[in-house]
């Protein structure tokens, strides 16, 4: 860079591109990218959990209460029934 003024101008241009919601560039800050990834991971985990719980509830002899009492399951029997209904 030729000097501090050029650097500031280039920095401003870069930040304008990153912060412009109307731009078609689809640029995103790294912190925003990490948030999007974490949200997507959590959603995928929740969907997989719900699918497994609904499958166990519908395809086994276990009641929602039996499933809810398992140490690996940390949700109520009512929520298990609701998940099974939503999945079906």
């Amino acid at each position: 860079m030729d000097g501090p003024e050029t650097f500031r101008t280039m920095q401003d241009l870069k930040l304008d591109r990153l912060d412009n919601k109307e731009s078609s560039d689809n640029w995103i800050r790294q912190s925003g990218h990490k948030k999007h990834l974490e949200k997507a991971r959590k959603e995928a985990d929740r969907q997989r959990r719900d699918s497994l719980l609904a499958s166990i509830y519908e395809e086994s002899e276990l009641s929602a209460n039996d499933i809810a009492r398992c140490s690996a399951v940390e949700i109520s029997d009512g929520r298990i029934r609701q998940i099974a209904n939503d999945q079906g």
Side-chain angles (χ1 to χ4, degrees):
M1 298 284 170
D2 294 327
E5 186 60 38
T6 303
F7 177 79
R8 273 188 248 121
T9 301
M10 297 300 287
Q11 180 73 2
D12 289 343
L13 288 170
K14 179 181 84 171
L15 294 176
D16 285 345
R17 285 191 174 268
L18 286 171
D19 294 333
N20 186 353
K21 302 276 188 224
E22 297 174 10
S23 174
S24 62
D25 295 348
N26 294 326
W27 286 93
I28 181 173
R29 291 183 182 273
Q30 186 174 8
S31 61
H33 177 69
K34 287 180 181 179
K35 287 178 186 175
H36 287 289
L37 281 177
E38 185 60 30
K39 184 178 178 181
R41 268 191 217 106
K42 286 181 180 181
E43 178 63 19
D45 288 345
R46 187 195 58 76
Q47 287 178 354
R48 181 71 177 143
R49 179 206 68 189
D50 290 356
S51 175
L52 290 169
L53 288 172
S55 176
I56 293 168
Y57 179 69
E58 293 172 356
E59 299 172 22
S60 75
E61 299 294 321
L62 296 173
S63 69
N65 192 30
D66 294 334
I67 298 169
R69 285 187 287 162
C70 293
S71 62
V73 178
E74 297 178 352
I75 57 178
S76 70
D77 58 333
R79 180 69 179 122
I80 291 171
R81 284 189 291 278
Q82 183 182 20
I83 288 168
N85 288 334
D86 291 347
Q87 295 285 315

